[in-house]
Amino acid sequence: MKRRSAKGENISRLIQLAWILFWQAFAWFVKDPIARRFGKKNAVSKHDRLRILFETLGGSFIKFGQMLALQPDIIPLEYCDALFDLMDRVKPFPYEKARESILRELGDEPENIFEDFDQKPIATASIGQVYVGKLNGRKVAIKVQRPNAQVDLAGDIRIMKGCLNLVRKWRIRPLFFLLEPLSEFVQWTAEELNYWNEARYMIRVRENARDRPGERIPEVFVEHTTEKILVAEFIEGTVVLNYLRKRNDPTLQSD
């Protein structure tokens, strides 16, 4: 099958984004207010609608939502709390897709590589999702990239770069403040598409913390790591996101 050109993919992605924005705007201004007015149980709050918007747009927009979740100085706290779910509670992709990716990347099915492999992910985010398994008798975290991550994020990156070039070329001064943060965001997102970058950072930090008994950095299993698969030691502990959720939600503080 002939692959579409980058221009064709950009146009397709723009149409998809426009369609999603139209329906989410309709929900924000029409559907949700009506549902809340009549007290319907399925009424969606404004902060949850924003999270749904970023999740539905997918690709780098989820990454952008993750960044906003950590900016209570920019958006209200209830919006930050809703956007926290984009860190690890994005709608998961089917296990069958993860199995196919592991087979393609590592040359065998997960059941044959790992002594144990839980098919239910413990965390799901914009680029991949994490499974728990056992390798050589050790508990490990297996991070598997989403099947469409390369296409969606690469397309978004091209669109963002195009917008940045237009701002520079046409000297749109009111938008100059976006140049630096968006350029950094594009670079950061492009790096995250290759799990080898994350693996190298983990290895370097682990080496730097070798003589520090108060720090423990997960070991990377390099022989089972590829551009789209990352296998590392699983360390039990409290997830920072859960701590933040409990701190901001009184109903969780007793857990």
Side-chain angles (χ1 to χ4, degrees), residues 9-17 57-59 61 156 159:
E9 290 178 351
N10 290 348
I11 294 174
S12 177
R13 179 63 170 155
L14 285 171
I15 293 173
Q16 180 190 33
L17 295 178
L57 287 171
F61 291 93
D156 291 348
I159 292 172

Side-chain angles (χ1 to χ4, degrees), residues 75-171:
I75 62 176
L77 190 59
E78 60 268 23
Y79 285 86
C80 291
D81 292 345
L83 294 177
F84 273 148
D85 284 355
L86 297 178
M87 299 282 193
D88 60 352
R89 296 180 180 176
V90 177
K91 183 179 179 181
F93 60 88
Y95 166 71
E96 185 61 27
K97 295 292 185 182
R99 188 191 68 81
E100 292 174 1
S101 182
I102 292 175
L103 175 61
R104 182 172 57 253
E105 294 292 315
L106 301 182
D108 206 344
E109 297 184 355
E111 292 79 8
N112 297 329
I113 298 174
F114 303 95
E115 292 131 46
D116 185 34
F117 190 94
D118 190 346
Q119 297 183 8
K120 183 178 180 180
I122 61 169
T124 55
S126 57
I127 294 180
Q129 56 194 37
V130 180
Y131 297 87
V132 175
K134 279 190 176 181
L135 182 65
N136 300 328
R138 300 174 65 183
K139 192 172 184 179
V140 294
I142 304 105
K143 189 174 181 181
V144 183
Q145 192 171 109
R146 287 181 175 273
N148 59 340
Q150 295 279 345
V151 174
D152 287 352
L153 271 77
D156 291 348
I157 288 172
R158 286 195 298 269
I159 292 172
M160 289 182 182
K161 286 182 176 179
C163 293
L164 290 172
N165 290 335
L166 288 177
V167 170
R168 294 190 185 97
K169 183 177 180 179
W170 294 347
R171 298 184 177 278

Side-chain angles (χ1 to χ4, degrees), residues 114 135 140-143 219-221 224-225 229-233:
F114 303 95
L135 182 65
V140 294
I142 304 105
K143 189 174 181 181
E219 178 184 351
V220 176
F221 292 80
H224 292 91
T225 295
I229 304 290
L230 173 61
V231 180
E233 176 188 7

